[in-house]
């Protein structure tokens, strides 16, 4: 087959950045590529042909055994604060094949995750396991269906090789699609290891790619900072509203585009508790659910720092400008979050008392160990019966206040119900369901993952077939733990 039957249409703007930002690197071929999952809908929207992608030549592309026409594989350089500590990082187990130009003229990165060692691999093997790559596939696609900006998953292949972790695992490669892989850490890298001119070219590149409306403005770098703050606020708010915990919000895992990236130890919260942490390595709770907005602000401060030389030639002036931009974060976050919570409660208009009304509900949920998703589902459908929370007199009191509040708006009860349906998912990728799917998949049974992907693809459908997936896990002695997908 010709390499382009599949519809690859690459234009690789990243290779035109200064050479310090990447190193050219081909994937290391693997023994026996086997296609596990292919995302047909996504492939179509990228201008790729599903039938051709299923053929051997394309599976070889997803495995890194063949380079598609027009691709210019490279590993990106970046740095980052990992749990607060600054390190030089880079794509140690990822290779960018190139940028696909879609039929709509959009530019997206096509990246292989797990394709072998690169210049930035340090002690790692550059490989990834089947379980973690399928986990990223399931959760990133669920996030997309929830309406949350995210990198997407195009394909998973098995390599026919084993990788060594705690135990032996099937090696696998995920093909990831992203608006770009520019990170806060890319800017930290430019600021720390490049010349000011390199940093400027990087910023110009990011503005051109993600914020083209700012290009002509004489204050474009300050506006760029403000726009990235806005997109991150919007993103983190969306995480909070569905109970998503990223788990490793290091600055290298925070995108300039405002997409969720790097599904390692992430997980969705069942029982509402702001202190919820799943990651085995997050012993201090730095990246706990309730801490995510604060950490986003901290990461954005690191971003602002790296932009200082571009903001103003006088450093004091530059610091002032950065501080002014960052000072907007708390208010911006609160406004976004309140707007989202009002929707979850079926409220169209604003009242002063909304903030305490919402806080009271969350406090009661925490006190009575209520399931986050199911509490809002029950409120949506008026099924507030059973369970500690709904039986408590304090909840009944809260419920009356909320009903009265809902009455104080022009919109009908039906409209309010519809708003709640559209704002409260019936289903999230619950940890026990994801684990069950992965366990079957690594043993060769993909049907459980297929079914899970199907019900997750329309989380606001509230369809009968979703009901069995709504059940929270049985309380167990051992809390759920996640691990970095290494
Ligand atoms: P992550 O935790 O996935 O955000 O990765 C943090 C850093 O470790 C990045 O620079 C990765 O490229 C690198 N890394 C993670 N796993 C591996 C691996 N198996 N081999 C080489 N580098 C890795
Ligand atoms: Mg990362």
């Amino acid at each position: 087959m010709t390499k382009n039957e599949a519809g690859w249409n690459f234009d690789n703007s990243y290779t035109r950045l200064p050479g310090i930002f990447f190193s050219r690197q081909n994937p290391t071929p693997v023994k026996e590529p086997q296609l596990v999952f292919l995302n047909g809908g996504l492939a179509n929207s990228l201008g790729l042909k599903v039938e051709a992608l299923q053929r051997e030549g394309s599976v070889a592309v997803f495995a890194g055994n063949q380079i598609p026409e027009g691709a210019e594989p490279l590993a990106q350089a970046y740095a980052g604060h990992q749990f607060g500590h600054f390190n030089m990082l880079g794509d140690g187990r990822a290779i960018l094949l190139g940028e696909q130009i879609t039929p709509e003229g959009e530019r997206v990165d096509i990246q292989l995750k797990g394709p072998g060692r690169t210049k930035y691999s340090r002690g790692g093997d550059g490989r990834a396991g089947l379980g973690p790559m399928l986990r990223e596939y399931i959760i990133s696609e669920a996030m997309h269906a929830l309406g949350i900006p995210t990198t997407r998953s195009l394909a998973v292949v098995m390599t026919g090789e084993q990788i060594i972790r705690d135990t032996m695992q099937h090696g696998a490669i995920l093909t990831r699609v992203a608006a770009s892989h520019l990170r806060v850490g890319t800017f930290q890298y430019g600021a720390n290891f490049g010349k000011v001119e390199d940093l400027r070219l990087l910023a110009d590149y990011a503005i051109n790619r993600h914020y083209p409306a700012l290009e002509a403005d004489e204050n474009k770098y300050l506006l760029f900072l403000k726009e990235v703050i806005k997109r991150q606020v919007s993103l983190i708010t969306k995480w909070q509203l569905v109970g998503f915990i990223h788990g490793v919000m290091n600055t290298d895992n925070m995108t300039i585009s405002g997409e969720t990236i790097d599904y390692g130890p992430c997980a969705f919260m069942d029982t509402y508790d702001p202190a919820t942490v799943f990651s085995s390595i997050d012993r201090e709770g730095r990246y706990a659910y309730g801490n995510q907005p604060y950490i986003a602000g901290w990461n954005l401060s690191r971003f602002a720092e790296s932009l200082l030389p571009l903001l103003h030639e006088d450093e004091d002036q530059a610091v002032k400008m950065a501080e002014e931009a960052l000072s907007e974060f708390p208010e911006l976050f609160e406004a976004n979050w309140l707007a989202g919570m009002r929707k979850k409660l079926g409220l169209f208009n604003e009242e002063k008392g909304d903030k305490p009304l919402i806080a009271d509900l969350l406090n009661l949920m925490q006190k009575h160990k209520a399931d986050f998703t199911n509490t809002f589902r029950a409120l949506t459908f008026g099924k507030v019966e059973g369970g500690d929370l709904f039986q408590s007199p304090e909840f009944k009191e809260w419920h009356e206040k909320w009903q009265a509040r809902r009455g104080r708006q022009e919109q009908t009860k039906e409209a309010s119900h519809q708003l709640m349906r559209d704002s409260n998912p019936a289903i999230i990728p619950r940890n026990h369901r994801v684990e069950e799917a992965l366990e079957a998949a690594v043993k060769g049974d993909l049907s459980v993952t297929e079914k899970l992907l199907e019900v997750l693809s329309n989380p606001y459908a509230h369809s009968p077939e979703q009901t069995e997936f709504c059940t929270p896990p049985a309380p167990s002695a051992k809390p759920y733990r996640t691990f970095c997908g290494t």
Side-chain angles (χ1 to χ4, degrees):
M1 93 171 201
T2 67
K3 283 177 195 156
N4 232 347
E5 251 178 71
W8 294 113
N9 181 26
F10 285 109
D11 173 63
N12 306 316
S13 61
Y14 214 83
T15 62
R16 303 193 276 274
L17 276 172
I20 61 156
F21 288 111
F22 61 91
S23 82
R24 291 186 189 266
Q25 173 72 57
N26 278 352
T28 307
V30 298
K31 212 161 144 194
E32 206 182 323
Q34 191 193 329
L35 186 62
V36 181
F37 272 105
L38 177 67
N39 191 336
L42 176 61
N44 280 327
S45 70
L46 298 176
L48 298 171
K49 312 220 168 43
V50 174
E51 246 176 59
L53 289 183
Q54 285 164 333
R55 285 185 214 130
E56 205 182 318
S58 285
V59 177
V61 167
F62 294 135
N65 286 11
Q66 198 173 305
I67 310 297
E69 191 183 296
E72 294 180 82
L74 60 87
Q76 294 182 333
Y78 53 85
H81 276 89
Q82 297 180 299
F83 289 88
H85 303 285
F86 187 72
N87 288 313
M88 171 60 205
L89 300 165
D91 285 337
R93 54 154 177 175
I95 288 175
L96 178 71
L97 287 181
E99 298 145 32
Q100 170 82 357
I101 310 297
T102 72
E104 271 76 50
E106 271 177 84
R107 176 184 298 272
V108 293
D109 278 7
I110 307 289
Q111 191 203 58
L112 301 183
K113 194 166 171 183
R117 287 178 52 79
T118 75
K119 186 179 164 185
Y120 313 109
S121 295
R122 294 168 290 169
D125 60 1
R127 293 294 182 196
L130 179 61
M133 293 306 97
L134 279 181
R135 196 166 188 279
E136 170 152 348
Y137 189 109
I138 296 168
I139 300 185
S140 64
E141 287 307 300
M143 290 287 272
H144 172 71
L146 282 162
I148 300 177
T150 175
T151 61
R152 305 281 309 271
S153 296
L154 180 62
V156 175
V157 293
M158 284 209 276
T159 60
E161 298 172 4
Q162 297 283 304
I163 61 165
I164 306 165
R165 296 294 182 263
D166 289 348
T167 55
M168 299 291 271
Q169 289 184 24
H170 296 304
I173 297 174
L174 172 82
T175 303
R176 175 158 83 177
V177 178
S180 86
H181 285 82
L182 291 167
R183 308 146 190 267
V184 167
T186 318
F187 281 83
Q188 291 181 292
Y189 171 81
N192 279 276
F193 302 109
K195 302 191 203 79
V196 175
E197 202 41 37
D198 296 324
L199 183 67
R200 187 183 308 281
L201 288 166
L202 180 70
D204 288 343
Y205 177 81
I207 291 170
N208 174 267
R209 198 160 167 185
H210 299 300
Y211 304 89
L214 309 182
E215 258 178 332
D217 202 290
E218 60 176 303
N219 263 332
K220 66 176 170 180
Y221 301 116
L222 179 63
L223 294 179
F224 173 47
L225 169 60
K226 289 188 175 184
E227 288 303 310
V228 173
I229 292 173
K230 271 193 213 154
R231 277 203 206 169
Q232 282 295 334
V233 163
S234 161
L235 178 67
I236 308 303
T237 305
K238 290 188 167 114
W239 291 359
Q240 299 305 96
L241 293 171
V242 296
F244 174 76
I245 301 169
H246 183 283
V248 58
M249 284 178 74
N250 295 334
T251 54
D252 57 299
N253 291 337
M254 193 169 201
T255 59
I256 299 305
S257 66
E259 285 183 343
T260 312
I261 194 174
D262 267 5
Y263 293 86
C266 64
F268 280 73
M269 173 170 68
D270 294 304
T271 306
Y272 175 72
D273 181 354
T276 308
V277 173
F278 294 112
S279 170
S280 60
I281 58 168
D282 192 1
R283 291 191 192 91
E284 318 243 306
R286 179 179 170 90
Y287 299 140
Y289 170 76
N291 238 10
Q292 294 190 129
Y294 166 77
I295 291 292
W298 191 89
N299 288 348
L300 288 163
S301 300
R302 306 290 78 74
F303 179 53
E305 270 164 20
S306 71
L307 290 181
L308 287 178
L310 306 182
L311 293 181
H312 203 285
E313 55 202 23
D314 178 77
E315 202 185 321
D316 291 342
Q317 284 290 327
V319 170
K320 240 189 187 166
M321 289 161 82
E323 280 175 354
E324 190 261 318
L326 289 165
S327 70
E328 291 172 14
F329 179 89
E331 256 176 60
L332 208 55
F333 177 77
E334 188 175 285
N336 264 260
W337 183 80
L338 275 176
M341 287 302 289
R342 282 195 182 96
K343 286 186 184 161
K344 285 177 87 70
L345 290 175
L347 304 177
F348 290 91
N349 60 347
E350 295 178 18
E351 274 188 15
K352 260 223 160 88
D354 291 346
K355 200 174 149 186
L357 184 76
I358 294 162
D360 287 350
L361 173 64
L362 292 174
N363 287 336
L364 289 176
M365 283 166 67
Q366 186 177 358
K367 182 174 168 193
H368 293 281
K369 298 188 170 38
D371 183 87
F372 185 72
T373 307
N374 285 348
T375 300
F376 286 101
R377 256 181 79 229
L379 292 174
T380 302
F381 292 96
K383 293 213 169 101
V384 285
E385 57 223 20
D388 277 7
L389 173 68
F390 296 149
Q391 277 164 8
S392 73
E394 34 189 9
F395 173 79
K396 287 183 180 133
E397 209 177 290
W398 178 88
H399 194 263
E400 268 174 36
K401 267 196 220 159
W402 172 54
Q403 288 300 352
R405 170 65 184 88
R406 268 175 107 190
R408 291 195 298 275
Q409 54 187 0
E410 283 172 16
Q411 288 78 5
T412 60
K413 260 213 136 154
E414 290 68 39
S416 170
H417 168 67
Q418 192 58 46
L419 181 64
M420 291 181 75
R421 276 183 82 119
D422 296 342
S423 312
N424 295 308
I427 142 162
I428 49 163
R430 298 220 183 236
N431 305 318
H432 62 301
R433 288 296 191 169
V434 175
E435 288 306 310
E436 173 185 88
L438 298 182
E439 253 169 53
V442 295
K443 288 184 192 141
D445 174 10
L446 297 176
S447 65
V448 189
T449 303
E450 275 163 10
K451 175 76 193 157
L452 183 61
L453 285 169
E454 191 194 310
V455 291
L456 286 170
S457 70
N458 197 354
Y460 302 100
H462 298 281
S463 63
E465 58 158 355
Q466 289 175 326
T467 312
E468 65 163 296
F469 289 86
C470 296
T471 322
S476 81
K478 260 200 190 159
Y480 183 68
R481 280 280 161 263
T482 56
F483 302 90
C484 280
T486 53

